[in-house]
Amino acid sequence: MAYPKRLVLLLQDLLFGGTQRHALELARRIDRTRFAPEFWMMSAGRDFEAQAREADIKLAWIDDKRSIGAGTIYKLHQHLKRNKPDILMPLTAVPNIWGRLLGRLSGLPLVLGTCRGGGNIARQHERFLARFAHHHITNTQALKNALLALGRSDEQVTVIQNGVDTDFFSPDPDGFAPVRKVVLCVARFVEDKDHLTLLSAFDQAWKAVPEAELWLVGDGPLKGRVEHAARKLSCARNIRVYPGGPDLRPFYRQATILALSSLREGLPNVVLEGMATGLPVVATGVGGIPEVVEQGRTGLLSPARDAEALGANLAALLADEERRASMGAQARAVALETYSMEAMVRRHEDLLARLAE
């Protein structure tokens, strides 16, 4: 069997986001004697372009429009016919839908399906399209169970949990501790992240700990709506909104708690990054989050849409420095022991090599 295999990661865009960052780390570290990684993007968005080119990843934009339409689908079909890769791995919903359909239509030898987010099963129409993938990769057992319930066999689905660079994401190397009580949320402003519940929860926690601040870091279509809602709160002066960026370590290192109020999730990279930086996690217990965050040991979990419970957890940790420090230290230890980037990449390499045979 000839190596290296051309591995195409089909993305919606290269905007700042957890899936794009995951793809970049995988392609950057994968064994180039076995796999030659390429990124194909279906729409405009070049936030990570410089980092991808620096990592010597071949890039191709199928279309340069902000939205994906019939013209984009046609261009993808033509591109697949002219440039057949050995392995096609789509990431996120739209690439999973059209990548699988057109990949199989083009006769590609190996077409994967990936489920990395809590809403992917429905958004990717897995009930109807799962059979178009030769194999599925998920990042949580919960997502694998959902695919098994749709009729996939155990041998057709592999769980590969996300990895985190624990050298890159680490506590401040100079040992400086945060000087303020900052609740940090790193998340795109989209429906699944439910920022409005987090705003309500923080407003409740702020009344108990009035020196606390909430920092929202990210971009997305609902950013304006969230900012408008924040301005109406009594704690508005203690809420800051920042754009996303390629290096989020300054935010993690100035934070006291990592918070996430998601309605649906796979395994959020930001949770692993926060844990690796030594932050306790206050989040909703959805998707793969309970597989990573141990209740009472590395963080506190609450039901989705329950602002009162989320706010109580925030207030409890904001008021207890000793407990925060203990949880943060244990979170860092778990990240080091269980979620290394090297393990994530090796598992992808081994699986792809086996499937390619």
Side-chain angles (χ1 to χ4, degrees):
M1 182 171 58
Y3 280 104
K5 295 291 184 184
R6 282 184 61 216
L7 168 64
V8 166
L9 288 83
L10 181 63
L11 297 156
Q12 183 150 335
D13 51 54
L14 267 187
L15 295 172
F16 293 133
T19 296
Q20 291 87 340
R21 193 181 299 274
H22 163 79
L24 181 62
E25 293 296 344
L26 174 60
R28 174 187 281 154
R29 297 162 183 269
I30 202 163
D31 186 348
R32 297 298 177 90
T33 67
R34 303 171 75 186
F35 304 98
E38 303 177 22
F39 286 175
W40 293 5
M41 279 63 64
M42 296 181 68
S43 63
R46 296 173 178 260
D47 290 347
F48 279 119
E49 180 179 4
Q51 290 91 326
R53 293 196 185 281
E54 185 180 348
D56 195 26
I57 300 167
K58 187 176 179 180
L59 306 179
W61 270 266
I62 304 301
D63 212 339
D64 59 359
K65 296 182 175 63
R66 291 193 175 276
S67 59
I68 294 173
T72 310
I73 308 308
Y74 176 76
K75 290 178 182 179
L76 176 60
H77 186 208
Q78 295 301 307
H79 199 74
L80 279 167
K81 287 181 9 181
R82 292 192 302 267
N83 305 278
K84 289 187 177 181
D86 298 302
I87 306 168
L88 180 67
M89 181 190 298
L91 295 162
T92 70
V94 175
N96 261 283
I97 293 169
W98 294 107
R100 283 184 288 180
L101 288 171
L102 298 178
R104 294 302 293 269
L105 184 64
S106 301
L108 300 187
L110 180 55
V111 178
L112 300 175
T114 60
C115 288
R116 299 178 47 79
N120 282 163
I121 299 295
R123 291 188 187 121
Q124 296 174 186
H125 306 290
E126 293 294 345
R127 183 176 299 278
F128 308 104
L129 299 183
R131 62 191 178 89
F132 286 92
H134 292 106
H135 195 88
H136 269 84
I137 299 175
T138 73
N139 57 0
T140 70
Q141 184 63 41
L143 285 168
K144 177 173 181 174
N145 292 341
L147 287 170
L148 296 181
L150 294 179
R152 299 296 274 174
S153 69
D154 187 68
E155 294 75 20
Q156 291 174 316
V157 186
T158 299
V159 178
I160 302 180
Q161 292 173 316
N162 295 359
V164 61
D165 187 337
T166 53
D167 292 327
F168 187 80
F169 292 100
S170 62
D172 193 298
D174 296 319
F176 291 112
V179 296
R180 288 174 287 189
K181 293 182 177 180
V182 174
V183 175
L184 173 67
C185 175
V186 179
R188 278 183 57 76
F189 290 92
V190 293
E191 206 71 45
D192 278 359
K193 302 302 181 180
D194 193 18
H195 285 82
L196 298 183
T197 291
L198 178 58
L199 288 178
S200 180
F202 178 74
D203 192 46
Q204 172 187 322
W206 169 81
K207 290 169 184 173
V209 188
E211 69 272 24
E213 298 179 12
L214 174 63
W215 293 5
L216 305 176
V217 179
D219 302 288
L222 301 184
K223 189 171 187 176
R225 183 195 301 181
V226 173
E227 289 176 322
H228 179 73
R231 286 193 292 269
K232 293 183 176 181
L233 297 175
S234 53
C235 61
R237 291 186 178 181
N238 289 48
I239 300 175
R240 301 183 182 185
V241 181
Y242 299 95
D247 186 357
L248 301 175
R249 288 176 298 174
F251 292 107
Y252 288 119
R253 288 172 177 169
Q254 293 180 73
T256 307
I257 295 168
L258 180 76
L260 209 56
S261 51
S262 303
L263 301 175
R264 289 168 288 274
E265 280 291 357
L267 177 54
N269 285 311
V270 296
V271 168
L272 296 180
E273 292 166 1
M275 290 173 62
T277 314
L279 294 178
V281 178
V282 173
T284 48
V286 300
I289 294 178
E291 298 177 27
V292 179
V293 179
E294 185 177 340
Q295 176 75 352
R297 178 171 176 248
T298 59
L300 298 174
L301 303 177
S302 59
R305 298 190 192 276
D306 191 337
E308 185 175 348
L310 186 65
N313 285 341
L314 287 173
L317 279 191
L318 285 168
D320 193 335
E321 182 177 356
E322 184 177 342
R323 192 181 186 195
R324 288 198 313 270
S326 174
M327 282 189 172
Q330 292 181 85
R332 168 76 176 164
V334 169
L336 286 168
E337 182 178 349
T338 310
Y339 298 101
S340 75
M341 194 69 73
E342 290 71 21
M344 181 274 289
V345 175
R346 295 294 87 77
R347 292 203 64 199
H348 274 91
E349 290 175 346
D350 293 344
L351 175 67
L352 294 177
R354 176 173 63 81
L355 294 174
E357 292 175 357

